[in-house]
Amino acid sequence: MHVRARVGRGVVLTEAQRFLVLAVLIGVCTGLVIVCFHAAIELVDFAVHDAGAGAAFRILWPALGAAIAALIVHASPASGGSGIVQTKSALYVSNGHIPFEAVPGKFAACVLSIGTGTPLGPEDPALLMGAGIASRLGRLFGLTRQTMRLIAPTGAAAGIAAAFNTPITGVLFVLE
């Protein structure tokens, strides 16, 4: 079944063409969000560790950052947990639907926890943020349920690619 959508004056896009346009849009949006994510982590790290605080604060900052991040996750439960597990469950349980509320919650919680020194990496939050952005854009584009299952991995690949600055690795990770 070929679903078509009218764009502008007489231009009709098939489902595959909308998916291709959407994939490019997902890559751009996810890339921008992940660049902002890295910049925010660096900003928090600079504010916390390079501001001349004493030795006691250097020890307490990771605990304080983790506590504030836990409060953020408590306020926004969709942002908790592992991004990989949430993305996989979205594929198999809810046809690629990831609540968009997970994106800002995951962004804020992980910026605080990673920026204050909690030993975590940016790849898992980047994967979930990319999949969440893709899921939201797929719903806005009105894609079919079958195509929506392909959107979350597209966003996850974009998130991994942006987190590590390695586009091929992002695609291989998602294919795996």
Side-chain angles (χ1 to χ4, degrees), residues 3 12 35 43 54 59 74 78 98-99 104 106 123 125 130 136 141-142 145 149 168-170 173-174:
V3 178
V12 177
V35 166
L43 184 63
I59 295 170
H74 182 71
I98 296 172
K106 184 68 88 172
E123 62 277 353
R136 178 69 176 164
F141 268 56
R145 187 171 23 176
R149 291 189 74 183
I168 302 300
T169 303
F173 177 80
V174 170

Side-chain angles (χ1 to χ4, degrees), residues 51-63:
F57 274 108
R58 289 188 180 267
I59 295 170
L60 292 176
W61 277 122

Side-chain angles (χ1 to χ4, degrees), residues 83-94 98 127 149 176:
I84 295 171
V85 173
Q86 285 177 294
T87 303
K88 278 186 173 182
S89 69
L91 290 176
Y92 297 115
V93 175
S94 60
I98 296 172
L127 184 141
R149 291 189 74 183
E176 180 187 327

Side-chain angles (χ1 to χ4, degrees), residues 124-136:
D124 188 72
L127 184 141
L128 178 67
M129 288 187 278
I133 290 168
S135 178
R136 178 69 176 164

Side-chain angles (χ1 to χ4, degrees), residues 4-18:
R4 296 183 180 274
R6 187 169 295 281
V7 178
R9 293 183 174 170
V11 177
V12 177
L13 296 178
T14 66
E15 178 87 5
Q17 290 168 329
R18 283 192 296 164

Side-chain angles (χ1 to χ4, degrees), residues 127 152-162 166-167 169-171 174:
L127 184 141
T154 303
I160 290 292
T166 55
T169 303
V171 173
V174 170

Side-chain angles (χ1 to χ4, degrees), residues 35-50 110-112 114-116 122:
V35 166
C36 291
F37 180 62
H38 281 288
I41 289 171
E42 292 296 322
L43 184 63
V44 169
D45 180 51
F46 176 75
V48 167
H49 295 106
D50 296 338
C110 292
V111 161
L112 283 173
I114 295 170
T116 56

